[in-house]
Amino acid sequence: MITLKSLAESYLTAEIDNVATELTIPAEHAGVFPNLLEGDGFVCAVVNRATRATELVRVTAVNGNKLTVVRGVEGFTALAFPVGASIDLRMTAGTWEEMAGECWMRPKDVAGELVFSTYATATSFTLTGDFTGFFTENRALRFDSGTDIGFVDYVSVDDRVTTVHVKEAVVPEALKLVEAGLDPNALAKRSLTNSELQGYKTPSPLLSGPDSAVERSVITLTIDDHSEELLNEYELDVRGFGSAEVSGSTVVWTMGTVEADENYEIRISRRRLGEFVSEPAIHSVLVTDCPFTIDGLEITSLADGAVGVKETPTVAAGTATASDPAFSHISTSWFVSPDGTKANAVVSSIDDTVNKNSWKIPKGMAVNTVYKLWREVRMSNGALVYDIASSMISFTTAEAFNAWRDYNAVLDSQINSFLADIPYNLSMCQVSDTCLLTAFRLGSGLTLKCAALTRGSAEAADFSAATPFDVSPVDVNNNGLSALVPMGLNSVLSFSDPDVNLDAAVACRLIAKGATEADWAVSGSGIPLSSYGFIGTVKAAECNDLGAACIYRDERAVNTTRVVVSEITRTSNVSNVLTKNELFVASESNGLNTAIVSMSENEIIFAYVCGGPPFSVKLYSISRADSSSAWGDAQLITSYESLAQSAQYPDLTKMSADRFVLSYYNGDLADKRVRGKVFNRVGGTWTAGNEFLTKAGNDAVRPVLASPNEETVVVVYGIDNAQAEVMVYDGTDWWTGDPVTVFDSNTGQKAMRVDNQNSLAFFFTKNLTPAAGNFKKIIAG
């Protein structure tokens, strides 16, 4: 028996050859087609969407999303079909013939699903729903396709349950299916008239949109009577002029080129499930000749067909210039869409007057996905405005974006316990891709020591530690804080406070490389920087082979502190004679911690904390025209005032020549987290951007920063259960992941420096038995 169901349509998810008898449709489409009993069936059309090649098949069994079929029915030839070929239930000529000869019908609900019956008495049965119009008086009945025939006596309905009373037959107790014969009042079989056939044709779509456009522009049409609830299939015909895409109710038509003003039309046909294709709806547009040509319209980067594109790439195009000088470039609209339609654009920048020729695509694209990219250039002479579209290019995103964006830091143990005692007052610098130097005071000893960490190549994973050597003696009454900064590949400046031999609160010594990168020693006598009282913090930044900058504080009286920034220079890259030049001096109340970073050999950024409570964090820059010129005055970038609780441990890291990050521990925050803020150079002025806050709190003190590339900052903080977090900056927003525990039960001393663009070297102390220093790498997850 033929079984029908409205709107039964799907597509193949596996290709078939011309002999396959099982078709696979999407799992979510299980239930779209009618359920079949043994001997039942229905006819479907399988259509290749690309070639429109068609075959009729008879479905004889439905099992979830698997259809068992007989191929090539009603004179059609069995064909091979690709994934995506449509399959939909059809009322064919053969179906009409078979149904016309069929004497028995089955009760179905409004969804077209078969309704089964239940035994009530020997002369009655029930079924859910109102079927009084189906089981009419004297209509023939048979039970479970048997041979015994009865007739409807009368029917009643109570609470949407129909009871059918039977005469001249006994209702079987195991009843499941009841079939009814032809309606006694049914008309004889006849052919459908033309007007009746028109009732099975989908109505033409109703279109609205502009009636004029400029060549090479893009217009949008709307299908006003589109319904998402109906399965609509549209056919677009631009008559060879330009190209068009449809998404939902939106049609995007990209105009072709014309030599003179001319009318062009798009024809759009529609077919709803179970109906014939409509007559085409026609929309005409007067396409006008653009009075000028445009040079530099097309996108030059990304390349068409590019693969492995990162998450937030920068795209570029030429400088759009009209052949008519009266027209100028007003703005550019950029679009990234998976299907080339504006309606489905995942990211866009509309009427952008800033990013006319280049644009950094913001986050929003998925990995391993094909996208279309294009731009629309707006040209105007003040009276007329033209929007001209570039050609679309395709690109494919990478299978995975920058590994740092996985938000994980992996702690790769490279050297563990390479010192015999706990190191304090740590600092570290990178001399080359294969050499790092660390400085520290070891255990209860009072001498500042240094050790080289080396590896065979920039790609090598493991470092080797050289034997530590003495740098300077440290006063027994002070902490011996240290800082290291390279001066080229063969020299490093070491700063310590205090230094007994130089009778200095802050002193600077030169360390020179020997025959190998593991062989380093103090060179020359060094110089004192300050001789006043307790110091407590010193930081340094590289400028070039002949100079470096440092920042430190000295305490001349109770609650009176000078913050000093000095330049340390030498006359040649082999000289060990050092000279001090003070660049900045400020008297502050209770000056505390400091930070400094070099943006280039001619620009320094520094910060310090003073006061308390309330506390202040002050941020300055100092620059010069070139390395032979004098340094200018310090310029205040910003100051964070009235921080009621503790504000300590500022740190700075350079992300690029025009971007740096300032961080500090902020006790004003309820959970005492680390606050970080990015600064971008805009029009020659340092401007604060968005900030980040570390996810973990619990006294997240002594933060240290490092930036392996222009998008990434790694921050490590905390005394107990110290955490590492990867922060990724996309030019506007920060992305942060979950903290990773670096170490626990430690003394809080740590130093970190860039190892390469995908990892950082990290040096810390940890209470071990026996106590020891530890060296690890933080690498991308």
Side-chain angles (χ1 to χ4, degrees), residues 266-329:
I266 183 172
R267 300 188 176 195
I268 303 178
S269 302
R270 172 171 57 192
R271 186 176 69 82
R272 293 194 298 231
L273 185 66
E275 298 177 348
F276 300 123
V277 176
S278 73
E279 295 295 328
I282 300 175
H283 185 86
S284 296
V285 174
L286 175 62
V287 182
T288 57
D289 180 26
C290 182
F292 52 82
T293 59
I294 298 179
D295 291 331
L297 175 66
E298 301 300 336
I299 293 172
T300 56
S301 177
L302 304 164
D304 191 19
V307 297
V309 175
K310 67 178 185 177
E311 185 171 14
T312 56
T314 297
V315 298
T319 300
T321 305
S323 58
D324 183 346
F327 287 84
S328 59
H329 184 185

Side-chain angles (χ1 to χ4, degrees), residues 118-125 165 170-172:
T118 303
Y119 171 88
T121 69
T123 59
S124 66
F125 61 89
H165 296 267
V170 176
V171 177

Side-chain angles (χ1 to χ4, degrees), residues 669-681:
L669 298 173
D671 50 0
K672 295 179 171 57
R673 293 184 286 170
V674 175
R675 182 187 300 275
K677 186 174 286 289
V678 65
F679 288 81
N680 296 295
R681 197 193 311 269

